[in-house]
Amino acid sequence: MSIVDKIRILESVVKTPSYVVLGVTHGRLVYLSTVEGAADLWSLDLSTGSKTRLTSGGISGAARPSEKTRLVVYTRDVSKGRELHKLFTVDVSGGEEKILIEAPPMRIFGIAFDGERIAYTAATERELALYLADLKGVCEKVYSFESLAIATDVNEKYVVGYGALKKNPKSMEIFVYSLAENSIKIYSPREGSVNKAPRLYETKVLFETNAFGENKLVVYDIEEKTLEKPEFAYRDYEKYHPVEHASYDWTEDGRIWAVGKKNGRTKFFLDGKEIPLPEGFISSAAIHRDKLYATHSSLVKPPKVLEVDLTTGETRVIIDNKLPREIEEKLDEVKFIKYKSFDGLEIPAFVVKSKGAPVPGPTVVYVHGGPWSEVADSWRTMIASLVACGYHIVAPNFRGSTGYGEYFRLLDIGDPGGGDLQDIIYARKWAVENGLASKIAVMGYSYGGYMTFLATTKYPELWDCGVAGAGITDWEELYELSDALFKQFINILFAGRKDLWKERSPVSYVDNAKTPICVIHPQNDSRTPLRPVLKYLQRLLENRVSFEAHVIPDIGHAINRLEDMLKILLPAILFLEKHMRR
Ligand code: 4NP
């Protein structure tokens, strides 16, 4: 395959749209999609099947729609990628996009809507707070948090959310803000437990907790002050025994649905009953009356929107997504493996072979961001692009990843760039020892870019090359440049251990670097700012290390346009072709 062919294939993979189902209102399914190049809001008329684009130019996030109103609430970056957002509304059948609140933009990172009120958590440079607004644009700051907190739901009585409210980096508590009393209560079933993403139904909150060992769903009644295990009518959920939940919520009539997760794949349950769906991952879902709407994908199958009739079990693809044959043929085999790391800990990973590429052949250890995230059997443009261009992938879910229980996820707290880096090194070892890799690269975006910088400075002899996207090179400078949210984030990640910042910063080892590296960075990134990376490049220059650097102008950390994804992946592929094929 020539370079020109690869560029064509890359463009075709990148153009494959994403879909996120948000909910139904006024007979229309509301969803996010990149089908016209940017992540925009769309609605699909459920009686005619016709689709309407509601926003243009790309938005940042949206609240679940409510049956009480035709208006859909969403956030848009108004700062060329610096992630300063404003709130907007648009009618579900289309029309003018309107700014809801005329206030200075902020980083909005948690948003809930009940058809009348909008509750959101937002950060400025100095403050992280909870805000309440209405559809007339009246907005009030109601509570200022001293630590990380995210609003997840609202109704006429309460706003709920969760965060490190007791300032213990290894625990998370639920907060309940009472609208009548203007006060916040912190709730945890057990001191030190991790409690996440509460969802409201009247006075009840449904959330995930590890208070009793494994991650379980529980229901807390705010007024009765009781905590209960949900009673399901069916037993499939219990038999499946999920390790975590990708999502969950209440139906309109107060039943519970949940997407259970185990080894990077999901199953869907309503009131404990499994709703059979193809193998892979349900990344978003909504139930409306007797229908389930869900997005389904796998590492080799792009996202589709499914409609399941919950009475008959009949499943229909309502938005399809097909890859061109030449790409589909390369995205073939997905394997879930576990390998032992330096200390014997088992690390789960996904291996995707590029069909037709030599074995052993050029292989990329793909490091996900987060770090509290995971590579599941779910569509990832970056992984699909690499595989389609002829690279085998090993994507480790290093310690700290989600998906494998709280014990595993908490292992990176107080130790970023320690045990997790070793897990990356051992992923490489697995790829070499199992005959997959001839040449091997390390590549990642954000926390994955950090890992790439660290792996190539601490262990330069292990890699043929590295690709660091939006990476971190210097924790001290990153902290100085961070807003209130990311300062809290770093405090939690390091468990307050500032003494580790130097030791865990790639810049401290830059004089060891000799691995050719491709650095790709958004100019306006406000999570992982460019400045420390430019300093790092200056050192590579002085040390005559072979590198290339691509600063992508006028964009930020979150990639919400396909064109921007291409600007990141094109230099990555061209660089890999040069260093991995000789
Ligand atoms: P992510 O970005 O990997 O995309 O979630 C990050 C940004 C900042 C930090 C970590 C990850 N941080 O620790 O500041």
Side-chain angles (χ1 to χ4, degrees):
M1 225 194 303
S2 73
I3 272 283
V4 175
D5 287 331
K6 297 238 163 141
I7 294 172
R8 190 172 41 78
I9 283 179
L10 177 65
E11 186 178 21
S12 172
V13 178
V14 167
K15 275 190 175 161
T16 305
S18 64
Y19 293 96
V20 179
V21 161
L22 294 170
V24 176
T25 184
H26 292 75
R28 287 172 176 265
L29 177 69
V30 181
Y31 60 97
L32 277 165
S33 178
T34 54
V35 65
E36 285 192 2
D40 276 301
L41 272 173
W42 287 73
S43 75
L44 179 143
D45 186 324
L46 290 168
S47 55
T48 65
S50 81
K51 299 177 194 126
T52 309
R53 184 156 56 82
L54 306 180
T55 65
S56 61
I59 66 158
S60 298
R64 280 181 181 261
S66 160
E67 275 285 18
K68 286 189 202 149
T69 172
R70 301 182 62 86
L71 294 180
V72 184
V73 175
Y74 59 98
T75 62
R76 184 191 282 288
D77 184 315
V78 293
S79 61
K80 292 196 173 162
R82 292 181 181 87
E83 298 188 281
L84 297 173
H85 307 108
K86 284 197 174 194
L87 274 172
F88 289 75
T89 59
V90 68
D91 188 280
V92 68
S93 48
E96 199 192 336
E97 298 183 49
K98 291 187 181 144
I99 290 187
L100 183 62
I101 294 156
E102 279 300 347
M106 291 183 287
R107 183 191 295 278
I108 298 177
F109 58 90
I111 175 165
F113 178 47
D114 73 344
E116 291 174 33
R117 357 184 135 63
I118 302 132
Y120 56 101
T121 34
T124 61
E125 260 174 52
R126 257 174 256 116
E127 188 183 36
L128 202 160
L130 174 65
Y131 297 80
L132 261 178
D134 64 20
L135 288 172
K136 295 193 198 87
V138 178
C139 174
E140 187 189 3
K141 178 165 72 186
V142 295
Y143 193 81
S144 175
F145 290 102
E146 283 174 18
S147 54
L148 187 77
I150 307 167
T152 53
D153 208 357
V154 62
N155 66 15
E156 64 284 356
K157 288 177 118 175
Y158 304 107
V159 181
V160 293
Y162 69 110
L165 301 162
K166 296 235 165 129
K167 295 200 169 178
N168 171 356
K170 295 199 176 190
S171 80
M172 288 201 274
E173 293 74 29
I174 302 293
F175 74 76
V176 178
Y177 175 82
S178 157
L179 298 177
E181 291 165 19
N182 276 313
S183 66
I184 280 229
K185 282 205 172 81
I186 309 290
Y187 175 73
S188 171
R190 185 178 61 76
E191 183 77 28
S193 61
V194 180
N195 303 282
K196 292 182 198 166
R199 302 289 309 167
L200 276 165
Y201 186 79
E202 295 166 358
T203 64
K204 293 178 180 158
V205 265
L206 167 69
F207 60 95
E208 190 188 58
T209 183
N210 76 340
F212 312 103
E214 297 166 321
N215 286 19
K216 296 282 182 204
L217 291 179
V218 289
V219 176
Y220 175 67
D221 191 306
I222 298 168
E223 291 174 12
E224 303 291 325
K225 297 192 164 55
T226 53
L227 185 74
E228 278 171 2
K229 218 175 103 179
E231 288 290 333
F232 295 131
Y234 300 87
R235 308 194 56 86
D236 299 343
Y237 170 86
E238 213 170 294
K239 276 188 215 140
Y240 174 64
H241 201 97
V243 173
E244 285 177 12
H245 301 85
S247 56
Y248 45 82
D249 208 348
W250 304 91
T251 61
E252 291 138 297
D253 59 3
R255 288 173 296 161
I256 289 169
W257 63 259
V259 180
K261 182 165 65 168
K262 199 154 69 177
N263 292 338
R265 295 186 174 111
T266 61
K267 284 191 188 292
F268 189 95
F269 302 91
L270 172 61
D271 204 6
K273 182 183 177 183
E274 183 183 347
I275 309 298
L277 293 168
E279 184 179 79
F281 205 90
I282 301 295
S283 51
S284 62
I287 286 186
H288 183 68
R289 312 241 161 95
D290 61 344
K291 299 269 171 42
L292 160 67
Y293 300 94
T295 50
H296 174 273
S297 74
S298 78
L299 278 163
V300 294
K301 300 251 184 284
K304 293 177 181 181
V305 182
L306 308 177
E307 179 190 75
V308 185
D309 185 316
L310 295 168
T311 328
T312 63
E314 192 193 334
T315 301
R316 212 159 61 88
V317 176
I318 55 170
I319 304 179
D320 207 355
N321 205 346
K322 281 206 166 64
L323 292 169
R325 267 280 292 282
E326 61 172 338
I327 294 170
E328 196 173 38
E329 281 167 359
K330 298 214 167 57
L331 299 181
D332 183 40
E333 193 194 332
V334 177
K335 236 171 44 180
F336 176 77
I337 60 151
K338 286 187 177 178
Y339 62 87
K340 279 203 166 63
S341 189
F342 74 105
D343 55 354
L345 185 72
E346 287 212 317
I347 307 300
F350 277 96
V351 178
V352 192
K353 273 192 191 162
S354 179
K355 197 168 180 187
V359 181
T363 298
V364 175
V365 174
Y366 177 85
V367 189
H368 69 71
W372 303 306
S373 171
E374 69 193 273
V375 170
D377 191 6
S378 169
W379 184 254
R380 282 234 180 196
T381 302
M382 287 198 188
I383 291 181
S385 299
L386 291 165
V387 175
C389 288
Y391 297 91
H392 305 308
I393 297 290
V394 180
N397 286 308
F398 48 89
R399 65 194 68 196
S401 300
T402 54
Y404 303 90
E406 240 22 71
Y407 172 79
F408 191 82
R409 189 188 67 83
L410 292 169
L411 286 174
D412 65 346
I413 292 182
D415 188 33
D420 53 6
L421 178 66
Q422 292 308 314
D423 301 341
I424 304 307
I425 302 304
Y426 276 71
R428 176 200 171 276
K429 190 164 176 272
W430 183 93
V432 172
E433 286 177 357
N434 285 273
L436 182 67
S438 52
K439 291 201 155 201
I440 194 153
V442 56
M443 168 169 170
Y445 190 83
S446 192
Y447 196 83
Y450 162 57
M451 283 286 161
T452 300
F453 282 127
L454 202 58
T456 50
T457 47
K458 291 189 97 167
Y459 302 95
E461 68 288 353
L462 295 183
W463 310 100
D464 290 292
C465 65
V467 179
I472 295 165
T473 54
D474 184 339
W475 289 104
E476 210 164 329
E477 194 173 4
L478 176 65
Y479 191 84
E480 275 168 34
L481 295 171
S482 294
D483 68 7
L485 174 67
F486 279 95
K487 282 197 164 80
Q488 290 302 338
F489 192 97
I490 296 167
N491 287 341
I492 292 171
L493 184 59
F494 279 85
R497 290 199 53 190
K498 296 186 177 177
D499 60 302
L500 280 179
W501 284 355
K502 235 187 191 69
E503 184 194 316
R504 300 299 164 92
S505 289
V507 71
S508 304
Y509 310 95
V510 65
D511 292 339
N512 285 340
K514 56 181 184 207
T515 314
I517 192 162
C518 175
V519 175
I520 306 165
H521 213 98
Q523 183 182 2
N524 296 343
D525 199 319
S526 61
R527 291 191 220 179
T528 52
L530 175 62
R531 200 165 82 192
V533 173
L534 290 177
K535 291 185 187 166
Y536 185 89
L537 291 172
Q538 182 70 31
R539 299 281 292 275
L540 293 182
L541 178 68
E542 284 157 15
N543 291 343
R544 300 180 181 216
V545 177
S546 171
F547 73 89
E548 54 180 81
H550 304 264
V551 175
I552 318 295
D554 302 321
I555 72 162
H557 194 83
I559 310 159
N560 70 351
R561 289 188 309 169
L562 301 184
E563 185 193 327
D564 298 335
M565 182 58 105
L566 198 58
K567 286 179 188 165
I568 288 166
L569 281 174
L570 185 58
I573 293 286
L574 295 179
F575 173 86
L576 289 171
E577 289 296 310
K578 175 171 175 205
H579 291 279
M580 299 286 280
R581 304 254 174 222
R582 273 182 310 199

